[in-house]
Amino acid sequence: MKALDLDLKELLYRLPDSGIIHFMKQRLLLFDALSLGLLRKELIESLGSHMARGILTRFGYAHGWRSAERLRQEAPELFEDSWAGPHLHGLHGLLTPLTNTRGAGTADEPLVEGSWKDSYEAEQHLLHLGKADHAVCWSLTGFASGYVSKRTGRDVYFMETHCCGKGDALCQIEGRYKENWGEEFADQLQYYQMESADSVLTTLTDKLQKIEKKLQKRQKQLSDLDHKSELSGITCHSPAMRKAVNTAQRVAKVDSSVVISGETGVGKERIAKLIHDESPRADKPFIAINCGAVTESLLESELFGYLKGAFTGAYKDTPGFFEAVDGGTLFLDEVGEISPGMQVKILRVLQEREIRRVGDNRSRSVDFRIVAATNRNLADEVANGNFRQDLYYRLKVIEVKMPPLRERREDIMPLARVFLDETAARSHRKITSFTQKAAENFLCYPWPGNVRELQNVVEFAVALSDGERIDIDDLPEELQKPCIPASTPLEILPLEEVEKQYILSVLHSLDGNKTKTAETLKIGIATLYRKLNSYGI
């Protein structure tokens, strides 16, 4: 692999449930260029150009030195690639590298010559301080100096010979060994002078690596539950979902029957698979059947099997799921839909641990674990006489309650991003994210169809989107409507406050267009202005 093959997506990584972003396993901070421009202006006006240049040059030197050190550790085969430094510079968003030529590094010939455009330093200097009469890319030349010094093991300093900040078409630099610059450049070299720069940076890097190892160890301990859940295809950032997953993982260690309860589409089968995968039966089959999707007679033959000739179409002896699962886990989805007659037969299997195939008079021993799921309240079904009480207690040794998506809003966008990545890859579409407005509507929509509906909406949006981001216009009609951000279940707001939030939500969704907002709300424009005025807007 060459340095130019390095891709930002492969180098950036955000730690789960954390604000920490890693670039080649080194913590990275994202700063707005304008804020750095304002810092530059403050430094120059407070300390003077001379002091500000020294600080920014040495800051850039440390940045370049650290980048080279990390590249040496993470991709040693690229460490000597002459384009690695400029390309890293570009990946950081600091500039766009154009040329990079290596020379002999003698007294008469530079070691490195290069040029770039889109310098953030030149841009910000022009914006805040105007056109300069000298080169202004101080931290960028510092970066190049620190990077090449680390790579060569010798002091290499760069000077900017042309700069966009003083009106040149491009920024151009030369890098030479310290001793080859000559006395006439001594006044510029002073900005690099920092006592034992490399030894200081080496010491700091060693300390930082020790701290990073401790943080990584602690992060692993804190995110162990999340890691296990992600491996099983489950996203659980919300407390409610964490509780459900934690219960499922503990239940998996014993062999008791389990009932997973929750609304349609919440992911009950995934939790059942998690229980199986983390149980002693994990190396045996996991078989799922939707009890509500088949007739009673078909369900019986599917579960118990049948002998040849037992009924029309039974051309050979066929084992049922109870036999086929053989030491594994049988998942009965929508168990509340089973007829009373079938309930009796399943109860007998749970009690005796043996079955009879349809048309057979011989009992067969079976070894299985039952995990059942229902979107009904089985206790109410028992009270109403629709579900056998003895079967209810046999199945519900332990219950795992799955929260609906509207009660686990912290999971909505992480799930949406997972579905987006999967759908975009499957559809060969380069769609990478959601706009803020689309995300806001995702978060305040009630999701009556839960996770299944969320997945369908993302697939719909991917199919309709013609850009690289899912926008509100790409969503189904029901998700395009203005909505009020969800409040906590215990928060009861006055009607006047609810009206205020809704009006402001509609105004925000229509990009502040008051005329359209009044039309959407079906109120007069004067009424809208009066209300906004009362809100202090």
Side-chain angles (χ1 to χ4, degrees):
M1 187 173 82
K2 297 181 179 179
L4 294 178
D5 294 327
L6 290 172
D7 186 85
L8 189 61
K9 289 183 178 179
E10 297 170 354
L11 299 175
L12 278 179
Y13 172 70
R14 180 178 177 272
L15 296 181
D17 287 345
S18 169
I20 297 177
I21 301 172
H22 275 177
F23 183 89
M24 292 196 301
K25 298 183 180 178
Q26 170 183 312
R27 185 167 186 177
L28 174 76
L29 308 179
L30 298 179
F31 282 102
D32 177 66
L34 183 63
S35 65
L36 292 179
L38 289 171
L39 174 62
R40 178 190 190 88
K41 180 174 181 289
E42 288 292 327
L43 287 174
I44 292 174
E45 292 181 349
S46 301
L47 305 176
S49 181
H50 178 77
M51 288 292 292
R53 180 173 179 177
I55 291 171
L56 293 175
T57 300
R58 290 192 288 273
F59 163 73
Y61 185 97
H63 185 195
W65 195 96
R66 284 278 295 158
S67 296
E69 169 69 10
R70 185 58 66 179
L71 184 68
R72 183 181 64 82
Q73 294 175 351
E74 299 300 324
E77 72 280 6
L78 300 180
F79 188 59
E80 295 299 326
D81 190 325
S82 63
W83 269 103
H87 190 51
L88 282 177
H89 227 164
L91 288 177
H92 281 98
L94 304 174
L95 52 77
T96 302
L98 298 175
T99 62
N100 179 50
T101 305
R102 296 182 69 170
T106 61
D108 299 326
E109 185 180 355
L111 179 66
V112 180
E113 290 182 289
S115 63
W116 60 62
K117 64 177 182 177
D118 304 325
S119 161
Y120 90 94
E121 279 195 288
E123 170 194 86
Q124 293 299 316
H125 194 98
L126 288 168
L127 178 63
H128 297 288
L129 300 161
K131 185 177 176 181
D133 57 4
H134 53 270
V136 299
C137 298
W138 303 331
S139 69
L140 299 182
T141 51
F143 180 101
S145 301
Y147 183 90
V148 178
S149 293
K150 176 62 180 176
R151 187 169 62 79
T152 61
R154 295 175 60 181
D155 290 334
V156 177
Y157 296 140
F158 281 74
M159 304 292 181
E160 197 174 10
T161 58
H162 295 78
C163 182
C164 295
K166 64 184 184 73
D168 295 324
L170 296 174
C171 297
Q172 297 180 0
I173 55 171
E174 288 185 9
R176 299 175 185 267
Y177 292 118
K178 177 183 176 182
E179 61 272 17
N180 290 341
W181 273 112
E183 290 298 325
E184 66 270 27
F185 294 98
D187 60 331
Q188 296 191 54
L189 292 179
Q190 64 178 316
Y191 297 114
Y192 288 104
Q193 299 312 308
M194 189 168 83
E195 184 178 355
S196 303
D198 283 0
S199 63
V200 170
L201 284 166
T202 300
T203 302
L204 289 174
T205 297
D206 290 341
K207 289 182 179 179
L208 182 59
Q209 286 173 347
K210 292 178 181 178
I211 294 172
E212 285 178 341
K213 286 181 180 179
K214 290 181 180 179
L215 287 174
Q216 288 169 0
K217 183 178 179 180
R218 182 59 178 159
Q219 180 69 28
K220 184 178 184 303
Q221 293 171 347
L222 292 173
S223 63
D224 186 55
L225 175 60
D226 288 340
H227 177 64
K228 289 180 180 179
S229 301
E230 293 297 337
L231 287 177
S232 302
I234 300 172
T235 298
C236 56
H237 297 277
S238 64
M241 194 61 186
R242 285 179 187 273
K243 181 180 179 181
V245 171
N246 181 261
T247 301
Q249 289 175 321
R250 285 186 290 166
V251 166
K253 309 306 177 186
V254 298
D255 209 36
S256 304
S257 297
V258 181
V259 168
I260 304 170
S261 59
E263 297 177 6
T264 299
V266 293
K268 296 188 286 291
E269 185 168 347
R270 287 201 173 189
I271 288 292
K273 190 69 168 62
L274 172 65
I275 292 173
H276 172 75
D277 290 342
E278 299 204 8
S279 74
R281 298 177 179 269
D283 59 337
K284 300 296 183 179
F286 174 87
I287 297 177
I289 182 170
N290 188 328
C291 301
V294 294
T295 62
E296 181 178 356
S297 59
L298 181 58
L299 180 62
E300 181 178 11
S301 62
E302 289 285 331
L303 289 176
F304 297 95
Y306 50 85
L307 293 185
K308 178 181 179 181
F311 51 83
T312 303
Y315 299 113
K316 63 178 180 178
D317 292 353
T318 303
F321 288 157
F322 280 118
E323 289 181 80
V325 78
D326 189 25
T329 302
L330 182 61
F331 176 54
L332 301 180
D333 197 9
E334 304 304 345
V335 71
E337 304 290 336
I338 296 177
S339 67
M342 197 66 205
Q343 290 177 33
V344 175
K345 296 176 181 179
I346 291 178
L347 176 63
R348 182 181 180 280
V349 177
L350 291 174
Q351 291 173 332
E352 306 298 333
R353 293 287 160 170
E354 59 182 29
I355 58 101
R356 287 185 182 181
R357 295 179 182 178
V358 177
D360 197 0
N361 57 8
R362 180 170 67 92
S363 296
R364 304 167 189 264
S365 296
V366 287
D367 176 27
F368 62 90
R369 178 186 191 170
I370 280 230
V371 176
T374 179
N375 61 1
R376 297 186 179 187
N377 187 319
L378 288 185
D380 289 346
E381 295 296 303
V382 170
N384 294 331
N386 298 324
F387 201 86
R388 292 182 62 95
Q389 187 177 52
D390 45 6
L391 177 58
Y392 171 68
Y393 288 124
R394 279 282 181 179
L395 290 174
K396 191 194 168 187
V397 177
I398 302 169
E399 182 177 14
V400 178
K401 295 182 178 180
M402 291 288 289
L405 193 55
R406 62 182 173 275
E407 293 179 9
R408 43 182 289 218
R409 296 191 176 275
E410 299 94 328
D411 296 330
I412 291 175
M413 290 315 299
L415 277 168
R417 293 185 187 105
V418 170
F419 294 145
L420 175 60
D421 290 343
E422 292 175 351
T423 307
R426 190 169 58 247
S427 306
H428 305 290
R429 303 289 306 280
K430 292 184 178 180
I431 303 175
T432 59
S433 60
F434 301 87
T435 65
Q436 183 178 350
K437 287 185 178 180
E440 287 174 354
N441 277 31
F442 268 65
L443 291 172
C444 62
Y445 181 69
W447 297 109
N450 292 295
V451 178
R452 188 175 300 142
E453 182 184 11
L454 175 62
Q455 185 173 13
N456 291 341
V457 165
V458 172
E459 290 188 11
F460 177 96
V462 169
L464 263 64
S465 177
D466 56 3
E468 293 186 354
R469 304 176 73 194
I470 300 296
D471 204 351
I472 195 167
D473 294 334
D474 303 321
L475 304 179
E477 185 177 346
E478 60 270 23
L479 266 87
Q480 294 185 21
K481 299 176 181 178
C483 57
I484 303 173
S487 57
T488 60
L490 296 179
E491 184 181 8
I492 300 176
L493 299 175
L495 183 59
E496 187 176 327
E497 180 63 23
V498 174
E499 180 188 69
K500 173 185 173 180
Q501 288 191 13
Y502 186 71
I503 289 174
L504 295 180
S505 174
V506 174
L507 181 66
H508 175 72
S509 69
L510 296 174
D511 295 323
N513 188 313
K514 297 180 179 63
T515 302
K516 288 185 178 179
T517 299
E519 291 174 356
T520 301
L521 295 172
K522 292 183 171 52
I523 60 176
I525 189 69
T527 302
L528 177 61
Y529 271 100
R530 187 176 69 253
K531 289 182 179 294
L532 293 178
N533 185 57
S534 70
Y535 305 152
I537 299 176

